[in-house]
Amino acid sequence: MECLYFSASRCRSCTLMNVPYLDQLQGKVDHCQHLLADFDTLAFLPAQPSNEAGFRNKAKMVISGTTAQPTIGILDAEGHGVDLRNCGVIDPALRAMFPVIERFIRELKLIPYDVPKRKGELKHVILTLSDTGAIMVRWVLRTKKHFVALRSSLPQFVEQLPPGSVVSVNFLPEHKAVLEGEEEIILTRRTTLQFELNGIPMHLRPQGFFQTNTQIAAALYRQAAQWINDVNPESVWDLYSGVGGFALHSAAPGRAVYGIETSSEAVEAAKTSAASLGLEDAHFMAQDATEFALNAGWAPDAVIVNPPRRGISAELSQWLNDSDVEHIIYSSCNAQSLARDLKRLSNYTPQLARVMDMFPQTNHYEVIVKLQRSAA
């Protein structure tokens, strides 16, 4: 795809923007195969491509400039705003919201935060798009100075949003390079953004995590569900379960599934989804994955892990090696930590892998691997 921001060096976030898409995809497969070359039992399925433009369902926009002329985008090296409201990797439905955001900034006289001066109020606007067309809008403020204005304008603002949308205000008083603070107030009656992936309803709360590429997230869950159904376990743990994507896709009659996630917001969202599906044997708990495994007192037939970039802990790897778990599905956003963890999981044989292009135009990708306990 072509990007004028990239060509003009205004934004270089998409480091592979000038590389043809099929070359990008093959490069990721080559990179992953190189990192996992020590596992000669491992066969690679064809990579899952993505739309190369408009694939991002989430826009994390820094608000800078002035009330009269706000910028919606990123900051340059000096901390000044760079407007990126026409960014081509963001879904067009989200880009269509930026003029609405700008209009409300002006009408409500919201003061953008000036990073170099450490003054101002409005730091970020975070937008998330559901496959239903609904949007979650999160205003990130430094203090509660503009909160009353935003709350009072809610009826007019919601009129500009698709049905089923959610609006909240987050407070980030500290001057530090993070997107959001701990305190969040939801302004709308609806508190979760609903997705439907592969026919399964999923709910996202404001501080919950969801994959930024809906198309690839759906493909990732389908792949995991296929592998789980192939071995047909009676019990499955989904560790680092987020809003429950893998667990919900793995649920089946006669099968108990457990989702373990540190975020209580994500756990509540997963419980909402399970209840809407009538899943009586789907259980979700807010707990550390390693701590849960080490103290559970029993082991399931299959475990799905989808850890952060650092991978799983050495303690969890050892527990899995010593356990009765027969099957592991490992979904990773960092093939380097994945390679390390597969070596630690020495009692398992990696069988199949598939690169999922969650992040086109960059070097990043997701890879999912199927492992089985090695014969004694």
Side-chain angles (χ1 to χ4, degrees):
M1 61 175 282
E2 298 255 342
C3 176
L4 295 178
Y5 298 127
F6 185 86
S7 301
S9 295
R10 294 182 66 189
C11 176
R12 290 283 177 163
S13 299
C14 295
T15 54
L16 300 184
M17 185 61 72
N18 58 352
V19 178
Y21 180 67
L22 292 181
D23 292 343
Q24 292 183 31
L25 189 60
Q26 187 58 51
K28 295 177 184 185
V29 172
D30 293 344
H31 180 261
C32 189
Q33 289 179 335
H34 172 72
L35 290 174
L36 304 184
D38 289 343
F39 306 99
D40 54 11
T41 59
L42 189 59
F44 276 76
L45 299 175
Q48 174 65 56
S50 168
N51 293 330
E52 60 178 297
F55 60 85
R56 282 192 65 93
N57 61 27
K58 192 168 189 176
K60 309 170 188 177
M61 311 305 282
V62 179
I63 308 299
S64 191
T66 64
T67 300
Q69 292 185 310
T71 62
I72 303 174
I74 60 174
L75 298 178
D76 63 18
E78 285 74 42
H80 301 121
V82 178
D83 200 280
L84 297 179
R85 66 184 72 192
N86 292 313
C87 172
V89 300
I90 296 175
D91 192 290
L94 291 182
R95 298 203 301 268
M97 281 298 302
F98 295 150
V100 177
I101 297 295
E102 179 179 17
R103 185 165 71 252
F104 272 81
I105 290 173
R106 289 176 174 173
E107 291 179 356
L108 300 180
K109 295 181 172 53
L110 306 182
I111 305 168
Y113 186 68
D114 188 314
V115 170
K117 295 180 180 179
R118 302 192 178 193
K119 293 182 179 180
E121 294 295 323
L122 177 58
K123 292 187 170 184
H124 309 115
V125 173
I126 305 172
L127 309 176
T128 306
L129 175 69
S130 165
D131 63 312
T132 67
I135 296 174
M136 179 182 289
V137 181
R138 303 173 63 209
W139 301 88
V140 182
L141 302 177
R142 184 175 68 91
T143 71
K144 290 190 166 80
K145 179 176 180 178
H146 290 322
F147 175 70
V148 173
L150 283 168
R151 184 178 59 188
S152 299
S153 71
L154 183 65
Q156 294 80 16
F157 188 60
V158 169
E159 285 181 359
Q160 307 298 312
L161 300 175
S165 294
V166 179
V167 182
S168 70
V169 177
N170 179 277
F171 299 98
L172 177 60
E174 300 89 358
H175 179 84
K176 56 184 180 181
V178 295
L179 276 173
E180 60 192 44
E182 294 183 3
E183 183 180 3
E184 185 116 16
I185 299 176
I186 301 176
L187 301 182
T188 47
R189 185 171 300 175
R190 182 180 292 271
T191 60
T192 66
L193 185 68
Q194 183 171 332
F195 289 76
E196 186 166 306
L197 272 66
N198 308 312
I200 294 178
M202 298 173 65
H203 294 263
L204 178 67
R205 289 175 177 263
Q207 293 184 315
F209 169 78
F210 190 77
Q211 303 282 9
T212 58
N213 188 325
T214 305
Q215 173 196 8
I216 300 302
L220 184 68
Y221 295 144
R222 285 196 303 270
Q223 184 64 77
Q226 178 189 322
W227 286 344
I228 287 292
N229 290 331
D230 285 347
V231 298
N232 196 26
E234 292 185 1
S235 53
V236 179
W237 288 357
D238 175 9
L239 304 182
Y240 314 93
S241 58
V243 295
F246 287 111
L248 295 167
H249 279 77
S250 299
R255 181 182 298 160
V257 296
Y258 294 79
I260 310 302
E261 165 63 43
T262 56
S263 168
S264 58
E265 289 282 322
V267 167
E268 289 305 312
K271 287 180 177 179
T272 300
S273 298
S276 70
L277 288 167
L279 298 176
E280 296 182 359
D281 216 355
H283 314 274
F284 295 91
M285 288 161 274
Q287 196 171 344
D288 174 78
T290 299
E291 181 182 308
F292 172 81
L294 268 57
N295 294 293
W298 67 284
D301 300 319
V303 169
I304 303 170
V305 293
N306 181 30
R309 290 188 61 80
R310 65 179 178 272
I312 66 176
S313 66
E315 293 83 2
L316 180 55
S317 298
Q318 188 60 53
W319 181 88
L320 287 164
N321 275 328
D322 296 340
S323 74
D324 294 326
V325 174
E326 282 293 322
H327 309 279
I328 299 175
I329 294 175
Y330 193 134
S331 180
S332 171
C333 61
N334 181 3
Q336 290 182 319
S337 59
L338 169 66
R340 178 205 65 205
D341 291 344
L342 293 185
K343 290 179 180 177
R344 286 175 172 174
L345 294 168
S346 54
N347 288 347
Y348 292 86
T349 301
Q351 296 177 317
L352 293 171
R354 191 176 189 188
V355 169
M356 319 290 284
D357 195 13
M358 191 74 71
F359 313 101
Q361 315 303 339
T362 77
N363 287 306
H364 301 293
Y365 56 88
E366 195 93 8
V367 57
I368 186 168
V369 180
K370 179 185 178 185
L371 302 95
Q372 182 164 340
R373 181 168 291 278
S374 305

